Amino acid sequence: MLPVVPKLTLSTAKCGEKLRVRHICPNCPHCARLRELGFRDHVVVKKIADGAAVICLLMGTRLALGRELCDHVEVERFAA
Amino acid sequence: MAEAPQIFRRIAIAGNPNTGKSTIFNALTGLRQKVGNYPGVTVEKKTGRFFGSHGEAMELLDLPGSYSLQVRSPDEAVSRDVLLGRVPGTPRPDAIIAVLDASNLDRHLYLVAQFLELDIPVIVALNMVDVAEKRGLTIDLLGLKNSLGVPVIPMVASRGQGLIELKQALSRATLQVSDQRAQLPIVLEREVAALSRMLKGHAGSVRSEAMLLLSLEDDRLAAEAKGDSTLLTEIHAARERLKLSGLDPIAAPVDARYAWVSEVCASTVHRQGEDSHGLTFSDHIDQILTHKLWGWLAFVGMMALMFVCIFVVAQAPMDWIRAAMQAVAKWTGAHLPPGDLRSLVVDGVIVGVGNVVVFLPQILILFFFLGLLEDSGYMARAAFIMDRLMSRVGLHGKSFVPLLSSFACAIPGIMATRTIENRNDRFVTILVAPLMSCSARLPVYAIMIALLMPASNVWSKAGVMLCMYLIGVIAAFVMAGLFKKTILRSETPMLLLELPPYRAPVFRGIVQRMWERAVVFIRRAGTVILALSVLLWALLSFPKPTEPDATQSEILSHSIGGRMGHAIEPVIAPLGYDWKIGIGLVASFAAREVFVSTMGQIYNIEDAKEDNEDLRTQMRDERRADGTPVFTPLTCLSIMVFYVLAMQCLSTVAIVRRETNSWRWPLFQIAYMTALAWIGAFVVYQGGHLLGFR
């Protein structure tokens, strides 16, 4: 049996990594605002700082996101 | 009387937070709206007037920043309601100035896409083009104009560049509604059109209203539909149909608009060199200021530096004001005959007002530092590092921005809570905001610290001052946690906050704000404090005892004020206060700084000397009946803790009433803060005694 690979989310991704958004959950009130801020499928995001909250760079804007909110953003590593 | 010119056009300034809307508003109208480098500086609409290129009168509405018309917080709701013509007494604007950050078009154009759907002429103010150039971005202005179908004005608003062109664009005889907009999926368009036919109003606004209703979450939908069951049924049916077609009613319009934005940017924005994911100057600073350890040290260090400056830099001007006040009092005393008039002028007016005015330099230094923090972009970082702490009490870091603003004054702090999405979280923040030490507490802290440690160095004094501010912060956290677990329960919100790039503070703007603050302070001293001082003088001087040879202490004790002090003495005696301090507490219920002027009046009337000694000396010499000093270190600490925790500000009560739309919350706030202040002062005084301190 193949090992289960845990989902990579914005909260579990490493700091400094360049990432691409795979999916953010639909019908979620928190994600609706994320979507309006530009967190859409396939958009490139960079995680800058990690702590109680996360700072990421999205379309030239630095955004601070709570860790729980970052769990809603599934990402994949992006080879530039 | 000259008639006011007829308004030619009503224009709204709108856009994402922190794009320079208020800067453009100020430049066009000549007004001085507060500007700053953090999201949420403007939380309500402001109106001003200006004249166009041909002298035509125009009305300008400065709207709070908003990321979307699908609002999340009360400040964003103001923008949406004005643009949809929902606000009674405010006509729908004739045009919108959409202010965009040129260095971040691919995100800021999203809101423009929504504006274009409103069927209102739009003029794009492409602000901060200099920043875009520095980042290697070249924007094809003609291409952008054609893609959007609206005039595009490149601007650097902070330097006034582009203002003339903006005025010219606004002064055109006719402004066209753009025919360019994001193409929504046909199924969604059909549902929007069907729903629009059910709504009443302007053709442009009903389409947007229909779009907003369709993409609202269920909990907000019921409130927006205002109990219209037919409408609700129709919306739910439309959503079901959309889902059957494979469309998410919330995500589909967002994705469609961003797809359109991507197309526009692809053809008009050209980047030289690598993409924008390299670390910028702001990122390097953030690595320290948002660090788990260094971030905290930097925050505490900045606060400590501020308090040291408050003591060191302000000392000389404070001495000058104090000397001038004493000289005026002495001169006036020498030129007026002894009696009630001299007592009124010297003890009531000059001493009462002078003892408050003397703290103006310290207050200005506080505002200088807060101005630096606001303009540099640090406020959002402070909110970020506080998020861990705030989440422990059920709030998120965003609530810390209003709390930090409350260090200047609780009123703008309470108004800034409009950026908080959740109603219960907003009310919790309002309830605890006055616990943050505002500038009106400075005079009380300063005089008590001077009594507490007259010979200590400035670092020790700044340390005690910092402790008072920290006690306020800790009390705010504890009470917020208590309220969140009891009367204002709600889920802990998730942090989502934009961190603006660091910018060099504009010193002219900071000095201008300090000047405005000084005017407010002097005006307050000349009106509220003066009126209270005169009233207090009367309360402390009348009625006079019948015995002609009564001493000054007996006269004071016999007065209405003296009797009030004696009446509350049993309640305040456990805190280490005598009846004279009690008068100060009662008198300063309307405004905290009145405590200092009250003490000045009491000791001046009682001493009845002509040399008008320094208040600190008078307080230091004050003795109880048993000969022990009144202002012992414990009493001074107890008074400071009382003032950290007590409400004592009628203006704050009024603003809480307005923001909560009820008397219940301000009355509760007065009750809990007074009880907290009494308990805090009691613990300090009695606990200190038990530990052997005096």
Side-chain angles (χ1 to χ4, degrees):
Chain A
M1 224 172 101
L2 287 169
V4 179
V5 181
K7 284 195 303 196
L8 184 66
T9 66
L10 201 51
S11 61
T12 54
K14 278 185 196 159
C15 206
E17 275 188 324
K18 201 167 170 183
L19 308 157
R20 185 155 48 197
V21 177
R22 266 179 69 116
H23 180 69
I24 66 169
C25 46
N27 293 324
C28 161
H30 309 294
C31 290
R33 178 41 61 98
L34 276 183
R35 205 180 285 276
E36 286 175 324
L37 283 172
F39 276 93
R40 292 162 301 122
D41 296 353
H42 311 305
V43 80
V44 177
V45 58
K46 183 169 184 177
K47 189 167 171 178
I48 297 176
D50 202 346
V54 166
I55 299 179
C56 61
L57 186 65
L58 173 84
M59 294 195 283
T61 304
R62 268 168 296 274
L63 291 167
L65 279 75
R67 293 198 75 84
E68 302 88 351
L69 193 52
C70 291
D71 287 334
H72 292 243
V73 185
E74 196 181 330
V75 292
E76 59 189 356
R77 288 188 186 89
F78 176 65
Chain B
M1 211 172 89
E3 271 184 42
Q6 203 178 353
I7 297 297
F8 170 67
R9 201 163 263 160
R10 287 186 171 79
I11 299 152
I13 301 187
N16 278 204
N18 217 31
T19 49
K21 295 178 293 298
S22 296
T23 306
I24 294 177
F25 177 84
N26 289 347
L28 286 174
T29 60
L31 295 174
R32 289 175 177 179
Q33 274 305 310
K34 186 180 175 185
V35 292
N37 184 20
Y38 62 98
V41 181
T42 307
V43 289
E44 59 182 352
K45 70 177 164 65
K46 303 279 181 186
T47 310
R49 289 190 178 186
F50 72 101
F51 293 98
S53 299
H54 313 299
E56 61 278 42
M58 306 223 199
E59 191 173 82
L60 201 58
L61 282 170
D62 185 19
L63 299 180
S66 176
Y67 292 108
S68 164
L69 293 183
Q70 198 63 274
V71 303
R72 293 281 183 279
S73 54
D75 62 325
E76 289 190 333
V78 173
S79 300
R80 177 202 59 190
D81 292 347
V82 168
L83 296 177
L84 289 173
R86 287 184 187 180
V87 182
T90 305
R92 202 165 181 247
D94 301 313
I96 302 170
I97 301 175
V99 185
L100 274 64
D101 177 350
S103 65
N104 205 351
L105 269 190
D106 35 9
R107 199 162 65 76
H108 287 223
L109 276 174
Y110 177 81
L111 191 59
V112 174
Q114 285 191 309
F115 290 162
L116 295 179
E117 291 164 12
L118 290 171
D119 277 349
I120 300 178
V122 174
I123 292 164
V124 166
L126 197 61
N127 198 16
M128 297 183 250
V129 286
D130 54 338
V131 179
E133 274 173 28
K134 276 182 198 161
R135 289 192 187 166
L137 296 173
T138 309
I139 299 167
D140 172 8
L141 294 173
L142 189 62
L144 189 60
K145 175 177 174 285
N146 292 335
S147 298
L148 301 179
V150 303
V152 175
I153 316 292
M155 298 188 77
V156 184
S158 58
R159 295 206 294 262
Q161 288 177 17
L163 280 174
I164 294 170
E165 292 82 355
L166 182 63
K167 270 191 182 182
Q168 284 170 342
L170 292 167
S171 298
R172 284 180 196 164
T174 51
L175 293 173
Q176 299 292 330
V177 174
S178 171
D179 55 0
Q180 301 291 322
R181 62 190 60 187
Q183 189 67 50
L184 298 181
I186 191 75
V187 194
L188 182 60
E189 278 286 9
R190 205 179 297 142
E191 294 296 351
V192 169
L195 200 57
S196 300
R197 286 192 286 275
M198 290 187 70
L199 301 170
K200 290 171 193 155
H202 184 272
S205 65
V206 290
R207 189 184 175 282
S208 297
E209 294 270 17
M211 179 86 79
L212 292 177
L213 287 171
L214 265 180
S215 53
L216 265 182
E217 301 109 37
D218 287 341
D219 56 335
R220 291 172 193 251
L221 179 60
E224 283 290 319
K226 296 182 185 88
D228 186 338
S229 55
T230 318
L231 185 64
L232 273 174
T233 312
E234 188 53 42
I235 292 167
H236 285 302
R239 286 180 171 187
E240 285 307 313
R241 287 193 292 272
L242 285 170
K243 281 178 186 165
L244 284 174
S245 312
L247 277 181
D248 176 357
I250 296 176
V254 179
D255 290 341
R257 290 184 196 118
Y258 264 114
W260 175 79
V261 169
S262 297
E263 272 178 39
V264 172
C265 287
S267 60
T268 57
V269 183
H270 308 288
R271 192 181 303 279
Q272 290 162 357
E274 249 309 292
D275 64 18
S276 61
H277 284 91
L279 288 186
T280 61
F281 172 69
S282 290
D283 295 329
H284 287 295
I285 300 178
D286 272 344
Q287 284 178 344
I288 298 167
L289 294 186
T290 60
H291 188 270
K292 275 178 261 185
L293 175 65
W294 305 126
W296 273 100
L297 288 177
F299 179 74
V300 175
M302 275 187 263
M303 291 290 136
L305 178 69
M306 179 170 87
F307 295 127
V308 168
C309 287
I310 281 174
F311 279 106
V312 176
V313 182
Q315 194 54 54
M318 282 176 75
D319 287 342
W320 300 334
I321 297 173
R322 195 176 286 122
M325 189 264 289
Q326 286 170 346
V328 170
K330 198 172 177 182
W331 185 87
T332 312
H335 286 79
L336 284 174
D340 284 342
L341 179 64
R342 186 169 81 175
S343 177
L344 169 66
V345 175
V346 176
D347 303 327
V349 176
I350 300 173
V351 172
V353 175
N355 273 320
V356 175
V357 172
V358 82
F359 293 99
L360 178 63
Q362 289 189 327
I363 288 168
L364 290 183
I365 291 169
L366 176 76
F367 276 89
F368 174 75
F369 271 90
L370 289 176
L372 284 184
L373 297 184
E374 288 174 348
D375 276 18
S376 63
Y378 181 73
M379 293 287 267
R381 275 72 182 183
F384 175 79
I385 60 166
M386 284 290 170
D387 185 63
R388 184 197 293 262
L389 219 62
M390 300 293 279
S391 61
R392 296 240 169 108
V393 297
L395 296 173
H396 65 44
K398 212 169 169 182
S399 288
F400 192 69
V401 175
L403 297 184
L404 205 55
S405 300
S406 300
F407 277 151
C409 174
I411 292 168
I414 286 166
M415 287 178 68
T417 60
R418 292 182 189 185
T419 58
I420 298 169
E421 297 90 347
N422 182 291
R423 180 241 186 214
N424 282 8
D425 290 347
R426 183 169 172 248
F427 277 27
V428 169
T429 312
I430 288 174
L431 284 179
V432 302
L435 287 169
M436 310 302 278
S437 287
C438 64
S439 57
R441 284 167 169 117
L442 255 182
V444 181
Y445 295 165
I447 197 108
M448 286 300 141
I449 290 172
L451 290 172
L452 183 67
M453 41 196 352
S456 299
N457 65 31
V458 74
W459 286 98
S460 308
K461 288 178 178 175
V464 174
M465 182 84 92
L466 184 61
C467 284
M468 290 304 125
Y469 276 72
L470 285 178
I471 290 172
V473 174
I474 293 165
F477 281 168
V478 172
M479 293 314 295
L482 193 64
F483 294 144
K484 279 282 288 190
K485 282 185 186 137
T486 52
I487 53 173
L488 288 163
R489 282 186 204 180
S490 63
E491 273 182 39
T492 302
M494 298 186 196
L495 177 71
L496 178 52
L497 179 73
E498 183 176 342
L499 302 178
Y502 288 102
R503 288 185 195 131
V506 182
F507 281 93
R508 198 175 146 208
I510 295 175
V511 170
Q512 188 180 303
R513 267 179 272 161
M514 286 167 67
W515 167 251
E516 283 165 9
R517 195 66 213 180
V519 170
V520 169
F521 183 81
I522 301 283
R523 194 181 293 147
R524 188 175 157 93
T527 52
V528 178
I529 307 289
L530 174 64
L532 286 172
S533 297
V534 171
L535 177 68
L536 207 69
W537 171 83
L539 291 176
L540 295 173
S541 304
F542 300 103
K544 293 193 185 294
T546 45
E547 301 85 26
D549 54 347
T551 63
Q552 289 298 325
S553 282
E554 285 166 346
I555 292 172
L556 187 64
S557 191
H558 190 74
S559 68
I560 297 172
R563 289 177 205 183
M564 280 163 55
H566 282 298
I568 66 158
E569 199 173 15
V571 182
I572 57 172
L575 314 182
Y577 311 159
D578 67 357
W579 60 276
K580 290 173 199 165
I581 299 174
I583 299 172
L585 294 187
V586 174
S588 63
F589 181 77
R592 295 174 180 101
E593 61 270 48
V594 172
F595 176 78
V596 178
S597 63
T598 308
M599 291 290 105
Q601 286 189 58
I602 289 171
Y603 296 127
N604 237 43
I605 290 173
E606 197 180 35
D607 285 358
K609 289 177 190 165
E610 301 217 343
D611 57 353
N612 287 291
E613 275 182 326
D614 178 8
L615 177 59
R616 291 171 298 185
T617 314
Q618 290 171 321
M619 291 173 87
R620 204 174 295 136
D621 294 342
E622 181 66 6
R623 292 284 183 272
R624 293 179 198 272
D626 61 2
T628 56
V630 172
F631 292 94
T632 63
L634 266 188
T635 309
C636 294
L637 279 175
S638 169
I639 290 173
M640 279 196 279
V641 169
F642 185 91
Y643 275 91
V644 169
L645 304 172
M647 182 67 164
Q648 309 284 92
C649 180
L650 280 184
S651 308
T652 306
V653 173
I655 208 77
V656 174
R657 155 75 186 86
R658 197 183 83 175
E659 293 296 306
T660 58
N661 203 23
S662 155
W663 273 111
R664 194 160 61 110
W665 293 108
L667 291 176
F668 169 72
Q669 196 171 29
I670 294 170
Y672 103 77
M673 287 184 70
T674 307
L676 193 66
W678 191 93
I679 294 167
F682 179 85
V683 168
V684 167
Y685 189 75
Q686 298 298 340
H689 260 283
L690 284 177
L691 293 171
F693 294 104
R694 287 288 175 268

